[in-house]
């Protein structure tokens, strides 16, 4: 079904809270680890956790992986490789405020992707609701506090790419989630995506001396892995089985 219910609204609000807190958490971790390395760690943790769960339950369904390999690879590229790498590198090169403000455009990007891919019909009422909601967000987080400078320009640009990739992932994952479980889709998307992110991180790994994190950094990383990646993406896949991507 696609009708919005109170329970679905609750899960969406929880998802936004988890993602929102992750801006500050990731910014702190990026002081100690390169963006590509942290992205690979996040994706690998999620992939290993969910694949082990599916293996223990006997639900890996390898035949389905082969049948849906094109969709899974596309989603892995958009939702994990491009999304995570651009999000974290962008966050490192801009301010958390800039990153959060740019990410408020996700609903509009999602609506645009859904319209142009003919996944959903564009309703005037829906578009107006999004604009009103966006103006509400900007009234709480005014554009005047957005940092316009050459120092943040690249980071802001990467964050826009992150928004476009994530929005595309939201729209394009719905067909697969109609036939497969949210856990199965998330597990295989992140397993395939983690391979790409590990490949991207190899250069930084050879240049970086990784040190054991302090207790505070370890706790921050733990949240980033569980509360900032594993739980939100599981929750996202579940939500997309209940309502429209936009």
């Amino acid at each position: 079904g696609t009708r919005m219910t109170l329970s679905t609204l609750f899960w969406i609000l929880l998802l936004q809270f988890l993602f929102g807190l992750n801006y500050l958490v990731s910014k702190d971790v990026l002081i100690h680890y390169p963006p590509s390395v942290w992205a690979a760690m996040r994706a690998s943790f999620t992939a290993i956790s969910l694949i082990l769960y599916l293996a223990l339950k006997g639900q890996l369904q390898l035949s389905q992986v082969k049948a849906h390999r094109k969709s899974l690879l596309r989603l892995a590229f958009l939702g994990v490789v491009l999304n995570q790498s651009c999000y974290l590198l962008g966050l490192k090169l801009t301010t958390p405020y800039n990153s959060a403000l740019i990410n408020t455009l996700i609903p509009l990007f999602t609506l645009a992707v859904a319209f142009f891919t003919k996944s959903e019909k564009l309703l005037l009422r829906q578009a107006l609701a999004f604009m009103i909601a966006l103006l509400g967000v900007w009234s709480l987080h005014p554009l005047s506090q957005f940092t316009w400078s050459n120092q943040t320009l690249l980071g802001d640009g990467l964050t826009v790419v992150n928004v476009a990739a994530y929005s595309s992932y939201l729209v394009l994952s719905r067909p697969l989630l109609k036939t497969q479980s949210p856990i199965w889709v998330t597990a295989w998307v992140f397993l395939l995506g983690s391979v790409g992110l590990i490949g991207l991180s190899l250069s930084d790994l050879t240049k970086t001396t990784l040190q054991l994190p302090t207790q505070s950094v370890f706790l921050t990383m733990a949240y980033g892995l569980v509360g900032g990646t594993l739980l939100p993406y599981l929750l996202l896949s579940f939500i997309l089985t209940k309502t429209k991507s936009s």
Side-chain angles (χ1 to χ4, degrees):
T2 57
R3 185 181 176 184
M4 177 74 73
T5 63
L6 285 176
S7 61
T8 302
L9 181 60
F10 169 78
W11 294 123
I12 290 174
L13 292 174
L14 177 59
L15 176 66
Q16 294 308 312
F17 173 78
L18 292 172
F19 273 145
L21 189 57
N22 195 49
Y23 289 108
L24 299 176
V25 168
S26 289
K27 190 70 174 180
D28 190 36
V29 174
L30 293 176
I31 297 172
H32 306 278
Y33 297 96
S36 62
V37 174
W38 179 227
M41 291 169 66
R42 292 176 65 188
S44 299
F45 174 81
T46 299
I48 292 169
S49 300
L50 296 181
I51 289 293
L52 283 176
Y53 173 81
L54 291 176
L56 290 172
K57 299 281 285 185
Q59 297 174 354
L60 286 175
Q61 301 181 63
L62 296 178
S63 61
Q64 291 299 308
V65 176
K66 185 176 181 181
H68 296 290
R69 62 186 181 277
K70 288 184 179 179
S71 293
L72 289 170
L73 285 168
R74 181 168 59 244
L75 294 176
F77 174 72
L78 289 170
V80 181
V81 178
L82 195 59
N83 175 32
Q84 292 292 320
S85 59
C86 287
Y87 163 66
L88 290 171
L89 183 56
L91 185 58
K92 185 177 179 65
L93 297 174
T94 190
T95 66
Y97 190 92
N98 278 25
S99 183
L101 203 59
I102 292 171
N103 272 273
T104 62
L105 297 173
I106 286 174
L108 287 179
F109 270 72
T110 304
L111 191 62
V113 174
F115 174 72
F116 285 113
T117 59
K118 299 181 180 179
S119 301
E120 298 176 18
K121 292 182 179 179
L122 180 61
L123 302 175
L124 179 60
R125 181 180 60 183
Q126 193 176 23
L128 287 173
F130 277 125
M131 289 305 300
I132 292 170
L134 196 58
L135 290 172
V137 171
W138 288 348
S139 69
L140 295 172
H141 303 281
L143 290 173
S144 59
Q145 294 183 26
F146 189 92
T147 303
W148 301 92
S149 72
N150 291 333
Q151 285 73 34
T152 63
L153 185 60
L154 178 58
D156 295 336
L158 287 168
T159 305
V160 172
V161 175
N162 146 233
V163 167
Y166 180 72
S167 299
S168 300
Y169 173 80
L170 290 179
V171 175
L172 298 177
S173 61
R174 280 208 78 215
L176 189 57
L177 286 166
K178 290 179 179 178
T179 61
Q180 303 296 329
S181 77
I183 294 178
W184 185 88
V185 172
T186 307
W188 286 106
V189 164
F190 268 83
L191 182 63
L192 295 170
S194 65
V195 173
L197 286 177
I198 290 171
L200 290 175
S201 70
L202 290 178
S203 176
D204 283 332
L205 277 172
T206 58
K207 303 172 186 175
T208 307
T209 302
L210 298 180
Q211 298 178 342
L212 288 175
T214 62
Q215 184 178 4
S216 61
V217 174
F218 176 79
L219 291 174
T220 302
M221 292 175 68
Y223 175 82
L225 294 172
V226 179
T229 312
L230 176 61
L231 291 181
Y233 275 89
L234 274 178
L235 194 54
L236 175 64
S237 294
F238 170 74
I239 290 169
L240 287 171
T241 66
K242 303 295 181 183
T243 189
K244 294 180 180 179
S245 55
S246 59

